């Protein structure tokens, strides 16, 4: 079995993945992230339900992912169903599995048609030094912030245990879906929002970097993110999900935790 997330493996996708990260690491600056959060936080792109947003997501293939070349909805349902099997009483976690990647609709024309380097891929803090554990770290040397004295130290513009809520993370589908959920007043617990916002932050939850910026609530929520991550990665299989069979269950969870229509 090939190792999941093997970015150095010789494969037809390896070259496009590396090219993606070159752009991502050069262009994701502190000022860029600030601008993108302001623009996309207006939530003026569309008004639709969670399930309605799942359907156009099928048009997205994530070029940053070395493992996945299937439609996104397959991955979302695989993740959610795998979690549901092992944690049957944590319905908020099932729903988080379903919606965690919905922000990838930002690549579609009706949602602004952003380039993939601004939507997908591993995320990382901006405004402080880029940790060596971040995949394809070498490309950060071309990022304007790399040599900026305000941004290239261990803490940068932040302080010890300031809390990740106060840290700017490279912009993408994670942060966008977090903004959508929060501004539409979801009743998901804080751990659900944490998973949505940081599930691509591998330098934190796989390499253990940036823990000096975390507060106590972050530490608690990180436990759930590590549980979730096992399913996010390893549910990437060829097992097909009967959408019609599981749809009523997930519609009931959406109704429980979200309004009928959301601003996107």
């Amino acid at each position: 079995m090939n190792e999941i997330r093997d970015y150095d493996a010789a494969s037809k996708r390896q070259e496009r993945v590396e090219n993606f990260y070159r752009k991502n690491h050069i262009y994701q600056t502190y000022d860029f992230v600030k601008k993108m959060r302001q623009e996309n936080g207006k939530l003026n792109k569309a008004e639709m339900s969670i399930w309605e947003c799942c359907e156009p997501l099928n048009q997205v293939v994530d070029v940053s992912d070395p493992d996945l070349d299937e439609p996104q909805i397959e991955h979302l349902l695989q993740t959610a169903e795998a979690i549901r099997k092992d944690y049957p009483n944590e319905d908020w976690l099932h729903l988080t599995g379903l919606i965690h990647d919905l922000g990838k609709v930002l690549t579609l024309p009706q949602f602004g048609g952003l380039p993939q380097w601004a939507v997908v891929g591993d995320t990382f803090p901006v405004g402080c030094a880029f940790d060596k554990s971040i995949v394809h770290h070498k490309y950060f040397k071309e990022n304007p912030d790399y040599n900026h004295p305000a941004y290239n130290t261990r803490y940068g513009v932040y302080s010890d245990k300031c809390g990740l809520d106060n840290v700017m993370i490279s912009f993408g589908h994670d942060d966008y879906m977090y903004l959508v959920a929060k501004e539409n007043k979801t009743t998901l617990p804080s751990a659900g929002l944490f998973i949505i916002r940081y599930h691509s932050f591998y330098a934190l939850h796989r390499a253990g970097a940036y823990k000096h910026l975390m507060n106590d609530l972050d530490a608690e929520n990180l436990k759930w993110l590590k549980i979730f991550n096992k399913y996010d990665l390893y549910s990437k299989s060829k097992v097909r999900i009967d959408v019609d069979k599981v749809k009523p269950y997930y519609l009931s969870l959406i109704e429980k935790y979200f309004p009928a229509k959301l601003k996107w």
Side-chain angles (χ1 to χ4, degrees):
M1 180 179 175
N2 292 329
E3 185 179 350
I4 297 288
R5 287 179 57 81
D6 184 355
Y7 289 95
D8 295 318
S11 74
K12 62 184 179 181
R13 289 194 285 271
Q14 193 272 338
E15 187 175 342
R16 78 182 187 200
V17 170
E18 183 155 345
N19 186 52
F20 162 86
Y21 274 108
R22 185 184 65 81
K23 294 177 182 176
N24 173 273
H25 290 358
I26 292 171
Y27 300 135
Q28 288 270 4
T29 64
Y30 185 84
D31 288 341
F32 171 80
V33 172
K34 194 172 181 181
K35 176 185 168 190
M36 295 300 283
R37 290 198 96 231
Q38 289 172 345
E39 289 181 0
N40 291 281
K42 294 174 184 175
L43 303 183
N44 56 5
K45 304 177 191 304
E47 191 167 315
M48 60 178 67
S49 70
I50 292 282
W51 193 266
E52 285 171 334
C53 194
C54 288
E55 291 166 355
L57 197 70
N58 262 339
Q59 301 168 44
V60 177
V61 174
D62 183 344
V63 299
S64 74
D65 194 328
D67 310 308
L68 189 66
D69 57 3
E70 295 176 343
Q72 293 293 315
I73 192 66
E74 292 274 337
H75 166 56
L76 296 183
L77 285 168
Q78 286 167 354
T79 303
E81 285 293 283
I83 294 170
R84 183 182 176 190
K85 181 180 177 183
D86 290 350
Y87 292 86
N89 299 321
E90 308 291 346
D91 66 355
W92 64 271
L93 196 56
H94 313 162
L95 182 57
T96 300
L98 177 71
I99 70 174
H100 74 282
D101 274 348
L102 285 190
K104 290 181 180 180
V105 293
L106 284 174
T107 63
L108 302 176
Q110 63 264 46
F111 288 87
L114 293 180
Q116 289 227 357
W117 62 261
V119 179
V120 299
D122 289 15
T123 58
F124 46 85
V126 293
C128 60
F130 302 115
D131 191 80
K132 296 285 188 185
S133 66
I134 301 168
V135 65
H136 293 305
H137 181 275
K138 61 188 176 184
Y139 294 120
F140 283 122
K141 291 178 181 177
E142 298 179 65
N143 184 305
D145 292 354
Y146 187 80
N147 292 311
H148 194 300
Y151 303 144
N152 67 356
T153 63
R154 174 175 165 84
Y155 286 97
V157 298
Y158 310 115
S159 58
D160 193 56
K161 295 182 172 57
C162 62
L164 293 182
D165 198 41
N166 295 306
V167 175
M168 291 246 281
I169 306 291
S170 56
F171 188 76
H173 70 280
D174 312 60
D175 202 22
Y176 176 63
M177 189 60 210
Y178 164 77
L179 291 170
V180 169
K182 184 184 175 190
E183 295 305 315
N184 283 283
K185 296 182 168 48
T186 181
T187 54
L188 283 173
S190 66
L193 289 171
F194 189 92
I195 289 168
I196 291 168
R197 195 176 192 183
Y198 302 117
H199 68 270
S200 301
F201 188 2
Y202 284 90
L204 172 71
H205 58 77
R206 172 170 275 199
Y210 298 106
K211 287 190 174 179
H212 56 287
L213 301 178
M214 291 171 54
N215 60 24
D216 291 343
L217 181 58
D218 294 331
E220 284 299 311
N221 286 335
L222 182 59
K223 297 173 186 176
W224 281 109
L225 176 53
K226 287 185 173 183
I227 290 171
F228 173 84
N229 182 243
K230 291 185 294 184
Y231 297 93
D232 188 20
L233 286 181
Y234 302 109
S235 63
K236 294 175 179 178
S237 67
K238 301 297 181 183
V239 176
R240 304 307 297 267
I241 302 293
D242 186 338
V243 177
D244 290 336
K245 183 179 178 181
V246 301
K247 181 176 178 179
Y249 174 70
Y250 289 101
L251 287 177
S252 73
L253 296 189
I254 292 167
E255 185 178 357
K256 178 177 178 180
Y257 289 105
F258 282 94
K261 293 283 185 182
L262 284 73
K263 292 180 178 179
W264 298 79

